[in-house]
Amino acid sequence: MKRSPREKFQYKIDNIMSKGTVSLVKILFWLTLLVAVVVGALVTIFGTETGIGHQTWNAIMHALDPGVLSGAPEDSSIAYLIGMSVLTLYGVLVMSILIGIISAGIEEKLNQLRKGFSKIIEENHVVILGFNDNIYTLLSELIEANSNHKDGCIVVVGTEEKEDMEKMIHDKFPDTRTTRIICRSGSLSDQHLYEQCSMETSKCVIINEYDDASVIKIILSANSYMKNHELLHEELYMVAVIHDEENVDAAMIAGEGRAEIIYASRAISRIIAHSCRCAGIYQVLVELFDYDGDELYYESVPELAGCTFGESLNRFSKEIVFGIWHDNKSYLNPPMDMVIEKEDKLILLEEDDGAFRVNEPAELVKKEQIVEHDTKMKREQEKILMLGINEKMEGILEEYDKFVKKGSEIIIVCIEELPFALDQFENLQITHIREKETNRKVLEQVVTDNIKKILILNDDTENAEKSDADTLLQLIFLKDIAIKKNLDFSITSELMKSGNQRLASQIREEDFIIGSNIINLIMTQVSENRELANVFAELLQEEGSEIYFRPAGDYVKMGEPVNFYTVSASAALKSEVAVGYRKENGHGFDVITNPKKEEEVVYAAGDYIIVLAED
């Protein structure tokens, strides 16, 4: 199809206009120079005897400054006045266009900055890929972790508009203390966006996505980017959560050793099961996993080289020795006779990294108060009421089955068909009561005086607010039933949003499990110290050492003031590490971890010692 000269000319003009501010300014400059030369030449030819250079300079001045025309010499020729008048009018037009071009260019640049298109020049920052409800827990923990550093930086990447993300973050965190939070918007698997975020100079990448397939795609893309760029930290790694067990191996393959994968469903199932069996375990785990209070750190303590692990336990007045880092491997609660070498690191529960103080061995252990009972876990028959169903139910029941005595009963109340065989468990007897909803009438029927433990599972088919609202309503019903029937039972409830925990605690002071919250805590801890991934994995799996609550009377004499040095020594005799204690307070209990060892406590029936033990 033949194009007209006008269409071709218009097309060329459009291409020139689309090249941006700098190109347009260059065109205006050369066009102005050309016009000035032409006018200067014409004025020289038709109206004056001065040279073309002088008249060209005059022409340029008239184009740039319209006021120059009023200062023209009285004997100026008609050709000079006409030419300079034309240049003056042209100059007004050019300056107007130039101002418009510069204003548009500045506006475009500001818009790019607002949209987050500029490259970030940072080092040792954390990159978070994904913006959702989990972001607030991640940011809160990272801000706390950076509180002892002068200039921390977090780069948040989401598919939302940059301005929207910044507003939501600012509303939640008006004061980020020593941490700067920078937002960028775009596709989470776009490698150009990784370059904008300066991923190659970061210290860790957190992948904050719900969908497993999306997580694996991002891992592939980020790993490809890392392999193609020179990294500031060769050990740069990613932290990601996978919800389906079938996808764990795929995520690890995609990461090629650069990704720490947290299998969320299994971890949460174990936490829920143990918390329901013994209230307070969730609080201990949160204390270990978050940055508010005490945390786990790897510390070089050359003063203890040559000592055994058991001897190191009471060489700190407050810190708890969880284990040893030896030959590039973490050992939680290793054998008490394991010798600490100079190159080893101790895994300490302390207020902050480097906060520990090593004391000389002191005779503070009161041996006469030590009780040498066997603390091996005793299985008991239990009867538990489980309200609701979700994808973690089978994992929870598998955990229960490992720790209860044969014949223990689980009563499940839900309308859905159970996705597993009722007789697949060795020690559990499952009773399924199918009810459309667990309203007040249903609860009065199933809550009897032989029910001592109740577990409320969230409905993962509903949105978070609706699911938590249903849980809160059931808590209100159960509290009223307990009062009117004079029943005594503990409740463990699973919530989806941490903001609803405060509402739940006003109803009952029980354990409220927020699975996504504790997984986010683990992610932030691992993002700061990769070695902690193995420590947390051991704490949340059947093999190795775990957190247990054991009766205080199995360790020390009851009714007498006893310090924690003595408790720690008693636990060490049983190949356990004493972490803290749970003490009744009249209307509930207090969970104390990492206590000052010289402080004396009088333990009574119903109090427990919190220990790290193998079974």
Side-chain angles (χ1 to χ4, degrees):
M1 180 179 179
K2 189 175 181 180
R3 303 291 185 182
S4 67
R6 182 177 180 276
E7 288 178 318
K8 292 180 180 179
F9 178 75
Q10 183 65 48
Y11 179 67
K12 290 182 178 180
I13 293 298
D14 290 345
N15 283 336
I16 292 172
M17 296 290 289
S18 66
K19 289 183 178 180
T21 303
V22 176
S23 295
L24 291 174
V25 171
K26 287 180 180 179
I27 290 170
L28 280 178
F29 171 77
W30 289 112
L31 184 59
T32 300
L33 186 60
L34 176 61
V35 171
V37 171
V38 171
V39 172
L42 291 174
V43 170
T44 301
I45 294 171
F46 296 104
T48 181
E49 295 179 356
T50 56
I52 187 173
H54 180 74
Q55 295 303 331
T56 299
W57 176 254
N58 284 336
I60 292 174
M61 290 299 100
H62 281 79
L64 296 178
D65 185 5
V68 174
L69 182 62
S70 62
E74 294 181 1
D75 58 347
S76 299
S77 65
I78 297 298
Y80 178 86
L81 293 175
I82 292 174
M84 296 307 159
S85 297
V86 170
L87 256 299
T88 298
L89 294 174
Y90 172 81
V92 172
L93 176 63
V94 168
M95 293 303 294
S96 300
I97 295 173
L98 183 61
I99 291 172
I101 291 173
I102 294 174
S103 297
I106 294 174
E107 179 64 27
E108 181 182 4
K109 184 62 178 178
L110 291 174
N111 186 58
Q112 288 180 345
L113 292 174
R114 283 194 297 268
K115 297 294 183 182
F117 295 147
S118 60
K119 182 176 174 61
I120 293 171
I121 307 297
E122 295 286 347
E123 293 183 1
N124 299 316
H125 56 294
V126 175
V127 177
I128 302 178
L129 300 176
F131 188 92
N132 51 44
D133 287 343
N134 294 335
I135 194 69
Y136 303 114
T137 302
L138 294 173
L139 291 177
S140 175
E141 291 301 304
L142 290 172
I143 290 170
E144 185 66 32
N146 289 335
S147 61
N148 60 342
H149 300 287
K150 291 183 178 179
D151 187 25
C153 180
I154 305 169
V155 178
V156 178
V157 182
T159 55
E160 293 79 359
E161 291 293 329
K162 174 178 176 287
E163 300 97 315
D164 295 338
M165 291 188 289
E166 288 177 337
K167 183 180 185 306
M168 287 186 280
I169 291 173
H170 182 267
D171 290 344
K172 192 74 174 179
F173 304 102
D175 179 16
T176 58
R177 292 184 281 179
T178 61
T179 301
R180 291 174 293 110
I181 300 176
I182 304 171
C183 294
R184 288 293 181 265
S185 179
S187 171
L188 302 183
S189 57
D190 182 2
Q191 296 197 6
H192 175 67
L193 190 60
Y194 300 161
E195 186 175 4
Q196 285 187 342
C197 297
S198 193
M199 181 182 287
E200 64 273 16
T201 63
S202 66
K203 64 180 181 180
C204 183
V205 178
I206 298 176
I207 300 175
N208 177 34
E209 275 287 280
Y210 293 129
D211 180 62
D212 284 358
S214 298
V215 170
I216 294 172
K217 180 182 177 182
I218 295 170
I219 292 174
L220 282 169
S221 181
N223 187 48
S224 174
Y225 180 86
M226 293 176 188
K227 289 192 295 185
N228 294 329
H229 287 74
E230 183 179 355
L231 305 180
L232 178 66
H233 303 285
E234 286 298 325
E235 65 277 10
L236 174 61
Y237 62 99
M238 298 167 276
V239 183
V241 171
I242 292 294
H243 296 87
D244 191 336
E245 186 176 10
E246 295 179 354
N247 296 324
V248 173
D249 289 340
M252 296 180 70
I253 293 170
E256 297 182 1
R258 290 189 183 276
E260 290 295 339
I261 306 301
I262 300 169
Y263 177 31
S265 296
R266 174 60 68 186
I268 297 172
S269 296
R270 288 183 60 80
I271 292 170
I272 292 173
H274 287 282
S275 297
C276 187
R277 293 192 65 251
C278 189
I281 286 183
Y282 178 74
Q283 296 177 38
V284 176
L285 293 176
V286 169
E287 177 68 21
L288 294 179
F289 297 157
D290 72 3
Y291 278 99
D292 184 15
D294 300 325
E295 304 89 42
L296 292 173
Y297 294 97
Y298 285 68
E299 301 282 10
S300 295
V301 191
E303 304 98 301
L304 297 183
C307 296
T308 64
F309 176 74
E311 291 170 342
S312 73
L313 296 178
N314 277 338
R315 292 294 298 275
F316 302 90
S317 62
K318 189 178 190 301
E319 292 76 25
I320 301 295
V321 186
F322 260 63
I324 297 177
W325 172 261
H326 175 74
D327 286 342
N328 295 320
K329 184 177 179 182
S330 297
Y331 295 88
L332 284 188
N333 185 27
M336 291 294 160
D337 58 358
M338 183 176 183
V339 177
I340 301 170
E341 299 180 3
K342 190 174 182 180
E343 297 78 15
D344 294 344
K345 293 184 178 181
L346 295 185
I347 305 172
L348 296 182
L349 180 65
E350 54 182 330
E351 290 183 359
D352 206 346
D353 53 332
F356 68 92
R357 294 291 182 273
V358 180
N359 299 326
E360 292 296 323
E363 295 299 327
L364 297 174
V365 176
K366 299 179 180 180
K367 296 181 180 180
E368 67 277 6
Q369 292 184 322
I370 292 177
V371 174
E372 297 185 7
H373 286 175
D374 179 14
T375 58
K376 190 176 173 117
M377 186 183 66
K378 304 174 183 67
R379 293 174 180 258
E380 298 178 354
Q381 277 196 350
E382 299 181 6
K383 187 171 184 179
I384 300 172
L385 175 63
M386 188 177 293
L387 304 176
I389 183 174
N390 59 30
E391 62 178 9
K392 296 185 287 293
M393 174 181 281
E394 187 172 2
I396 294 171
L397 294 176
E398 288 174 354
E399 286 302 313
Y400 274 134
D401 196 51
K402 298 171 186 174
F403 296 100
V404 296
K405 191 174 181 180
K406 192 175 184 64
S408 295
E409 185 177 357
I410 302 285
I411 301 173
I412 301 173
V413 182
C414 65
I415 186 60
E416 294 87 349
E417 190 71 39
L418 298 181
F420 49 82
L422 299 183
D423 58 354
Q424 75 178 54
F425 303 103
E426 180 180 352
N427 299 314
L428 293 177
Q429 295 179 357
I430 308 296
T431 302
H432 183 201
I433 300 176
R434 302 191 68 168
E435 292 288 349
K436 185 175 181 180
E437 59 180 340
T438 50
N439 53 31
R440 174 64 182 259
K441 182 179 179 181
V442 171
L443 290 175
E444 287 184 336
Q445 294 174 349
V446 297
V447 178
T448 57
D449 55 1
N450 59 351
I451 296 289
K452 300 301 180 184
K453 298 174 182 177
I454 299 176
L455 171 60
I456 305 175
L457 296 179
N458 67 37
D459 186 353
D460 51 14
T461 63
E462 295 280 359
N463 65 62
E465 288 296 346
K466 175 65 168 62
S467 176
D468 285 357
D470 291 341
T471 299
L472 293 173
L473 183 60
Q474 292 178 50
L475 286 173
I476 293 174
F477 289 153
L478 290 171
K479 179 179 181 180
D480 190 50
I481 291 172
I483 294 172
K484 291 184 176 179
K485 291 187 175 183
N486 194 26
L487 300 178
D488 182 22
F489 50 75
S490 64
I491 303 175
T492 301
S493 54
E494 185 185 11
L495 299 173
M496 298 181 73
K497 300 193 72 172
S498 57
N500 294 322
Q501 183 175 2
R502 180 179 57 82
L503 299 176
S505 62
Q506 294 178 4
I507 302 172
R508 289 182 65 102
E509 292 186 0
E510 304 283 354
D511 270 356
F512 306 103
I513 312 299
I514 301 104
S516 60
N517 185 58
I518 200 164
I519 294 300
N520 292 331
L521 298 181
I522 295 174
M523 289 181 73
T524 53
Q525 287 275 357
V526 175
S527 72
E528 293 291 309
N529 188 344
R530 188 174 187 177
E531 286 78 16
L532 286 175
N534 294 326
V535 173
F536 296 155
E538 183 170 342
L539 286 174
L540 297 175
Q541 66 185 10
E542 182 180 2
E543 296 78 15
S545 295
E546 302 171 72
I547 297 295
Y548 291 98
F549 283 37
R550 302 275 171 78
D554 290 347
Y555 294 84
V556 292
K557 291 182 179 180
M558 312 288 278
E560 299 180 9
V562 57
N563 61 41
F564 206 74
Y565 285 107
T566 304
V567 174
S568 179
S570 179
L573 293 174
K574 303 169 177 61
S575 298
E576 301 171 353
V577 175
V579 176
Y581 56 88
R582 195 193 86 171
K583 186 154 184 54
E584 298 290 331
N585 58 20
H587 58 274
F589 56 82
D590 296 317
V591 175
I592 309 297
T593 58
N594 198 13
K596 291 183 178 179
K597 293 187 176 70
E598 70 271 13
E599 291 183 355
E600 295 186 334
V601 177
V602 178
Y603 296 100
D607 294 339
Y608 290 85
I609 303 299
I610 306 168
V611 296
L612 181 65
E614 289 195 359
D615 57 23

